[in-house]
Each structure stands twice: as structure tokens, then as C-alpha cells.
Amino acid sequence: MQHNWKTIIEPFKIKSVEPLGITTREDRLRVLEAAHYNLFNIKAEKVLIDLLTDSGTGAMSAAQWGGIMTGDESYAGARSYYNFEREIKGLTGFDEVIPVHQGRAAEKILFGVIGGKGKYIISNSHFDTTRANVEYSGAQAMDFPAKGALDFDKPAPFKGNADIAAMEKFIREKGAKNIPLCVMTVTNNSLGGQPVSMENLKGVQALCLKYGIPLFLDCARFAENAYFIKLREKGYAQRPVREIAEKMFELADGAWMSAKKDALVNMGGFLAMNNKDWSAKARQMLILTEGFSTYGGLAGRDLEAIAIGLREVLDENYLHYRIRSAAYLGEGLLKHGVPIINPPGGHGVYVNARKFLPHIGPGQFPAQSLACALYLEGGIRGVEIGSLMFGRRDAGGNFLPAAMELVRLAMPRRVYTQSHIDYVIEVFGWLAKNKKGIKGLQVMEAPAILPHFSAKLKPVK
Ligand code: F0G
């Protein structure tokens, strides 16, 4: 007889541990004041549960640490590079594999090759660094999220999808020759870590074929996306996740990846494609800024760990635990009446701070205020995605309210256990009861570029 146990357990045992930063509320108040209410300025050792990002913060497996020891550090033609290349070719089917030190390096190189003034890059949603690199090249980054993606309260299975009709309208307006690339970000990080369906990917592919526009995946979280397809899309329940992932890549002409997410490593990335002209130009840029084409800014051991991580991440027991733990956090918050982007994403939960804290006005950074309260009361660090991060300002330098005020609770991979998550839920329960006491913030000083990293704030009187 097959038991159907309900408890979802972490599908690993722990071989190596690191102490958490345990502090008192008084400590944290001092830390917060010294950091000017900016959580980027806090030493990590003063954080208890760090949900700032899921990028590069995961735990590697014993097999990956083994790979670290056997990594080949040859400058050119290292064995580890060929392991890396073989793994990526096997998964994605792309012939040209270019290692880079992280995702944004791939973006800088790619848009250096294909971007430029007068061009447009179209996407379901560009991640911030993607947008910044597109714009740095002189091109414009245009987002076409699916209808309903911004209706945070209403669950839907594939809120990461692109609005294909809106994309087509734009292509006709601007002319396909001015659009060198379409990018599908899987999962869609900017809008809640929501997945893209295979049907939508196929639709985008058909659109791109019709207009002769190459399609790339920004595949930082491709395995989480593939698992959501297995769970939620008709016809995929019986398919192995690896096969679904391969199918996703088959629909595209290329991809880039921040390996710091679904390759389960602390540093690394790649750019891969079939276009020989683009890849030759990209390798020239690579040698200029990252390193020789068989290491691209990484150590041989990093390449080895990525090759192993790309296999491990497609283990369905791992993915089941991964997606289930984000859902568990989301469900826990909803039970306390905390509004989130519903359903929870693949790599974490996004709290709708504007809705949670209606007493904090739009000019008083509700999401940053919530992120600070979460740290003060519970030692938990999330990240603001709101007026401070978007950083739009009027002529007088005053911040303008953003379209959304979110706090992202991103979950590092294989790092925290269910009791850590229970603790986060408990802290939110307390905050929900005592939220009237959370005060808004005002900016004292902030730089012009990327203000959220170094802005100084204080509570409003
Ligand atoms: N694309 C997506 C979808 C990302 O989420 C990120 C990074 C990048 C590209 C850039 O990769 O950091 O390796 O240079 N996201 C991190 C985050 C920073 O916290 O969501 P990178």
C-alpha cells in the first residue's frame, strides 16, 4: 500500500550549518537607525532570516562541493568548461555556449551586440538589470504583461504570460526591423515570480516567426517555470520536468541565465544561442570584459558546480519541495489577512504593502516601511519593490509614487526549513494585528542612480 503522507519535508539532510544572527529588538532598532532605514546597509550577521534575494544565496549539494574540488583551473580549454558546455547544450539545444560571471554580464554583452538607439526590445517583463542594460545600449525596453498580471488579488495559473496581441500591435507600429529581440522572462520576476505557460511561449514563438524576430529566454528560473507547467497546464502532468524544460528552450533561438538562481550556485551564468554571427561578436566582448571564452569570468570550479546544479534542479522531489514551500508561506500570510500577489510565486512571496498599510500615504513609502517593520520586529529582511526602487522623481527631486508597493520575500534555495517559514508567518501575524503602529518614512538623501541601494530615510513624525 502506498501511503499519502501530507507533511512536505525538505528532501535533503544537512551536512554543514551556519549560525543565524540572533539579536534583540533593541539591537535591531539601533541597527535600523544606523542604517538609515535602508536594509541594504545592514550587516548580514544582524539578520535572522534573510529573504532579500534568492540569487546566489542557495546551499550547494555535497555533489557540487565535490565538483568544486575537482574543478579544472586551466586558463584555456579546461575540462570543467566542457562539462559546463555539454550540460547546457544538452538542456537547451543551443550550439554556442558562452560562460559569464552572472546574468547581467550576459545582458551587457548581448545588448552591446544587438541593441542601440532606435531599437526596441519586447518582453513579458524585463527584469531591472535587463531593462538597464537595454537602455544603456540606447534601445528601449517594452513590457507586455498579460491582462490580469496586475490584478494581484485574483489568482490565475500563468500570470507571467505575455500579452501577445499587444505585442503584435506594437511590432506593426514600430516595424519588425527595429525590434532585434523578444525576451520571455521565465518565471516573471518583476511581476511576482509568476510562470509563463507553454501555450503562451508557443504563441510568442509563432508571433516572432511571423515577423522574423529572434526569441530568447531570460531563464534564471527555468526549472521552477517548467514545474509550474507540469502542475498547472493541461497535458503536462505526466511529462518529466526535464522534458518540459527542453521543450521551452526548443521554442527559443537563445537564452541567458543568471546561474545564481536555478543552477543552484553562488555565482555564474551563461549566454547561449545558435546565431553564429551574434555569438562571434559576443565572444569578442566577452574577452574584452569577462575573460577568455572557456571561462568568462568564472573559476573552473564554478563551471563544474553549475553543470551539476543544472541537473540537480530538475529533480522533481526538489521542485515539489521548492514550489510547495513558497506556497506554504503565501498561504500562511493569507490566513493572517496579509495581501499578496496571489498565487505565490516560484521563488517567493510578494506582499502588497499598499493594501496592507492603507494608513501610510503613497508619498511615505509603504513597502519600505513594511520591510523595516519586518526587520525591527522579527529580524527578517525582505526587499522593497516600490517608489524607492523605481526611483521616479519630479523636477524638485521628490519621489513619485510607483504603480506598486510590494515587499518581496525571496526564498534562498535549500537554506531554510519549515520552522523558519513558520516563524516568518508568526511575525506577519503579529504585524497584521499591530499594523497601525507602523509609521511611514521620508527620504533624507538619495543619489540619482539606483537610489534604493543607498538612500537614507527616517520615520515621519
Ligand atoms: N534576470 C532575472 C529574471 C533576474 O531575476 C536577475 C537577477 C537577472 C536577470 C540578473 O542576474 O543578478 O546574476 O546579474 N535577479 C536577482 C534578484 C538580483 O534578486 O531577483 P544577476
Side-chain angles (χ1 to χ4, degrees):
M1 189 189 80
Q2 179 71 26
H3 291 293
N4 208 2
W5 304 121
K6 291 214 170 44
T7 310
I8 308 293
I9 61 165
E10 289 80 13
F12 47 78
K13 53 186 177 175
I14 296 166
K15 196 187 276 283
S16 176
V17 298
E18 192 180 342
L20 292 175
I22 294 182
T23 52
T24 63
R25 191 180 185 279
E26 291 83 77
D27 296 335
R28 293 194 294 272
L29 183 57
R30 268 196 304 276
V31 167
L32 204 52
E33 280 168 355
H36 302 288
Y37 290 81
N38 186 332
L39 301 175
F40 285 101
N41 292 336
I42 291 179
K43 286 187 179 157
E45 64 189 21
K46 299 292 181 193
V47 177
L48 184 66
I49 310 277
D50 205 345
L51 307 180
L52 183 68
T53 179
D54 64 321
S55 180
T57 51
M60 289 204 293
S61 66
Q64 284 177 299
W65 283 110
I68 292 276
M69 292 311 293
T70 58
D72 176 1
E73 301 303 339
S74 304
Y75 187 98
R79 181 184 63 245
S80 299
Y81 170 74
Y82 292 105
N83 290 342
F84 169 92
E85 187 194 47
R86 190 179 332 103
E87 197 55 46
I88 294 166
K89 275 189 181 174
L91 173 66
T92 67
F94 303 130
D95 292 333
E96 305 294 332
V97 175
I98 299 171
V100 291
H101 83 275
Q102 63 183 90
R104 70 197 71 180
E107 293 164 355
K108 173 82 178 13
I109 289 170
L110 179 65
F111 296 113
V113 172
I114 65 167
K117 213 167 172 307
K119 304 225 170 100
Y120 300 91
I121 308 299
I122 56 174
S123 177
N124 54 341
S125 295
H126 294 78
F127 179 65
D128 334 353
T129 60
T130 321
R131 171 179 305 282
N133 277 298
V134 167
E135 289 172 357
Y136 186 76
S137 82
Q140 285 182 60
M142 308 300 302
D143 290 347
F144 299 92
K147 291 193 182 69
L150 292 169
D151 185 351
F152 296 149
D153 296 327
K154 192 168 166 226
F158 292 105
K159 287 168 99 173
N161 283 352
D163 181 339
I164 298 174
M167 266 184 177
E168 178 155 25
K169 187 160 171 277
F170 183 83
I171 296 170
R172 284 166 176 257
E173 257 166 49
K174 301 293 178 188
K177 66 174 192 312
N178 298 316
I179 305 176
L181 194 74
C182 173
V183 184
M184 289 297 283
T185 309
V186 292
T187 57
N188 189 339
N189 186 14
S190 304
L191 288 176
Q194 302 291 316
V196 176
S197 70
M198 192 71 86
E199 186 190 11
N200 190 252
L201 277 179
K202 284 182 183 166
V204 172
Q205 183 206 28
L207 179 74
C208 288
L209 285 174
K210 179 169 168 191
Y211 291 96
I213 299 170
L215 170 63
F216 273 42
L217 302 183
D218 174 353
C219 67
R221 301 177 179 87
F222 76 96
E224 291 169 7
N225 198 95
Y227 193 65
F228 275 124
I229 289 176
K230 183 179 172 100
L231 291 181
R232 297 180 183 172
E233 193 164 351
K234 202 164 165 265
Y236 292 95
Q238 303 307 324
R239 303 269 198 92
V241 152
R242 177 165 182 112
E243 197 184 302
I244 298 173
E246 285 174 6
K247 179 77 194 161
M248 287 165 52
F249 287 111
E250 214 180 285
L251 298 173
D253 304 293
W256 72 86
M257 178 173 193
S258 168
K260 302 170 74 170
K261 285 83 170 177
D262 271 354
L264 303 171
V265 293
N266 305 117
M267 191 50 80
F270 65 80
L271 173 61
M273 65 189 87
N274 289 328
N275 186 318
K276 299 260 184 302
D277 175 40
W278 287 8
S279 62
K281 288 179 182 150
R283 284 202 180 91
Q284 290 299 309
M285 295 290 291
L286 184 81
I287 291 174
L288 201 61
T289 60
E290 290 277 293
F292 184 64
S293 53
T294 60
Y295 73 87
L298 293 169
R301 50 181 172 268
D302 297 327
L303 297 165
E304 202 71 50
I306 292 170
I308 298 167
L310 285 172
R311 272 199 304 280
E312 285 183 358
V313 77
L314 290 167
D315 171 358
E316 299 192 12
N317 293 321
Y318 160 75
L319 283 167
H320 180 60
Y321 139 81
R322 173 75 180 155
I323 299 305
R324 185 62 210 131
S325 22
Y328 180 82
L329 173 58
E331 287 158 13
L333 298 193
L334 285 170
K335 270 187 205 140
H336 287 303
V338 179
I340 62 167
I341 296 189
N342 202 6
H347 64 293
V349 175
Y350 294 57
V351 178
N352 186 349
R354 177 171 291 154
K355 192 167 176 199
F356 185 56
L357 303 175
H359 65 283
I360 299 185
Q364 296 183 353
F365 303 99
Q368 184 67 10
S369 307
L370 176 58
C372 288
L374 195 55
Y375 176 72
L376 177 64
E377 304 303 339
I380 300 159
R381 176 159 70 171
V383 70
E384 187 246 23
I385 303 180
S387 309
L388 195 60
M389 193 189 91
F390 291 111
R392 288 195 318 121
R393 285 190 245 184
D394 65 16
N398 303 306
F399 279 80
L400 296 169
M404 54 188 103
E405 285 286 345
L406 305 170
V407 174
R408 184 184 74 171
L409 308 170
M411 295 166 81
R413 293 171 180 76
R414 308 190 289 204
V415 169
Y416 296 118
T417 64
Q418 186 173 332
S419 62
H420 293 118
I421 301 306
D422 283 331
Y423 170 83
V424 175
I425 295 169
E426 185 184 351
V427 172
F428 264 100
W430 187 91
L431 286 175
K433 286 205 185 76
N434 298 281
K435 63 185 184 178
K436 291 269 160 52
I438 302 177
K439 287 205 181 71
L441 294 167
Q442 65 189 84
V443 167
M444 299 190 298
E445 56 177 86
I449 299 169
L450 298 172
H452 59 298
F453 288 126
S454 45
K456 295 182 175 172
L457 301 98
K458 66 176 185 195
V460 290
K461 285 268 153 26

